[in-house]
Amino acid sequence: MCRWAAFIGQPIFLEQVISAPAHSLLVQSQAAEEAKTAINADGFGVAWYAHLPTPGLYRDVLPAWSDPNLASIARQIRSGLFLAHVRASTGSAISRNNCHPFASGNWSFMHNGQIGGFENFRRSADMLIPDELYGERKGATDSEVLFLRAMHYGLDHDPGGALCKAARDLHALSRERGETPHLRLSVAMSDGNRLFAARASSDHIAPTVYYRRCEKSEGWMVVSEPLEDGQAGWIELPPGKLATFTQDEVSLQDFCVG
């Protein structure tokens, strides 16, 4: 299982999420508190929006805490919308192409969770990706299939609906040919203007998602785990919900994958 964090609001330095807080994403890469595994050392990545509609992307296979380049760019880059991820593989190889976030056009996407028994139906899952998007299938993860399948269903027109349909397709394959738990999911994704977060599971254990209003930066932190121990204001996203964040507002809708 992985840990992730995202931000939308007035531009801040990436380090204000990645490395500066007491329970930053770098700390969570070594000492996660609300995950199946405390260590998330199978790579990392950051996607950020600045001067272009498409996101910048930096990913590598090193543990996040051991890459001085990550710390350096986090001190220098400011963005009003970014996603960051530290990976703990659930089976696929440790490679740059398997590191989150993934990007396609103006979209960026990251996932924490699993599709049960994915190795048993990987080929069938790949066949869910249409020809016009298959060239963007660079890695071997269930997460990338989920993203590209959601792109096929129309993230631009109905982000929540497209992600829900994609998750249902993979859930159905797992029920047919995989194993339990069939689906556990927390997702953060962005089109460069809005930030979306979803939380769902086929059983009673859904990966955690929290969000908090940040008045100083006039925006929202959205995370797997709160960035400061004991800090007030963190709200847990209920399982079965998708949240849509703009700089000023958040709205919730049902997100059903069963």
Side-chain angles (χ1 to χ4, degrees):
M1 308 297 276
C2 311
R3 301 285 84 182
W4 56 256
F7 171 78
I8 184 170
Q10 290 296 317
I12 63 172
F13 289 105
L14 303 188
E15 70 173 0
Q16 291 178 245
V17 169
I18 291 174
S19 57
H23 195 56
S24 69
L25 201 59
L26 283 185
V27 172
Q28 292 177 40
S29 70
Q30 300 181 79
E33 295 177 350
E34 299 187 42
K36 187 175 181 180
T37 58
I39 305 298
N40 297 271
D42 298 331
F44 66 87
V46 185
W48 69 94
Y49 296 87
H51 306 295
L52 298 172
T54 55
L57 199 61
Y58 177 57
R59 303 181 296 176
D60 212 338
V61 298
L62 295 172
W65 67 80
S66 69
D67 185 348
N69 295 318
L70 176 62
S72 178
I73 68 170
R75 285 194 298 268
Q76 294 293 332
I77 293 177
R78 296 181 63 171
S79 173
L81 179 50
F82 61 89
L83 289 69
H85 187 278
V86 291
R87 183 172 184 248
S89 173
T90 56
S92 55
I94 299 172
S95 74
R96 186 176 287 108
N97 285 335
N98 286 339
C99 291
H100 307 222
F102 305 104
S104 176
N106 60 310
W107 282 92
S108 56
F109 178 97
M110 59 187 180
H111 169 237
N112 170 39
Q114 63 191 98
I115 311 296
F118 181 74
E119 295 299 320
N120 298 329
F121 56 87
R122 180 197 301 273
R123 183 171 178 274
S124 296
D126 274 8
M127 292 177 67
L128 294 175
I129 304 170
D131 289 345
E132 63 270 20
L133 289 171
Y134 197 78
E136 300 189 41
R137 173 69 159 150
K138 305 299 185 183
T141 65
D142 52 3
S143 304
E144 190 179 35
V145 174
L146 177 64
F147 175 40
L148 294 175
R149 186 63 171 169
M151 289 290 295
H152 162 70
Y153 277 127
L155 282 179
D156 285 327
H157 306 294
D158 181 9
L163 181 62
C164 184
K165 290 176 184 177
R168 285 176 177 172
D169 288 346
L170 288 168
H171 181 227
L173 279 176
S174 178
R175 287 181 62 87
E176 178 184 346
R177 299 171 55 187
E179 60 192 37
T180 58
H182 294 299
L183 183 143
R184 288 179 181 168
L185 171 153
S186 73
V187 162
M189 59 185 188
S190 177
D191 61 357
N193 295 301
R194 298 164 294 174
L195 176 63
F196 305 90
R199 183 186 181 199
S201 178
S202 60
D203 61 10
H204 66 285
I205 303 173
T208 53
V209 178
Y210 299 88
Y211 60 95
R212 182 178 185 272
R213 179 68 180 173
C214 305
E215 296 300 338
K216 184 176 180 180
S217 53
E218 299 179 7
W220 303 90
M221 299 281 188
V222 189
V223 300
S224 294
E225 299 184 13
L227 299 179
E228 298 285 354
D229 294 329
Q231 186 179 42
W234 289 103
I235 301 169
E236 184 174 1
L237 181 67
K241 294 292 183 181
L242 180 139
T244 301
F245 297 89
T246 64
Q247 180 174 320
D248 299 316
E249 298 179 338
V250 58
S251 60
L252 271 60
Q253 66 187 75
D254 291 337
F255 182 79
C256 181
V257 298

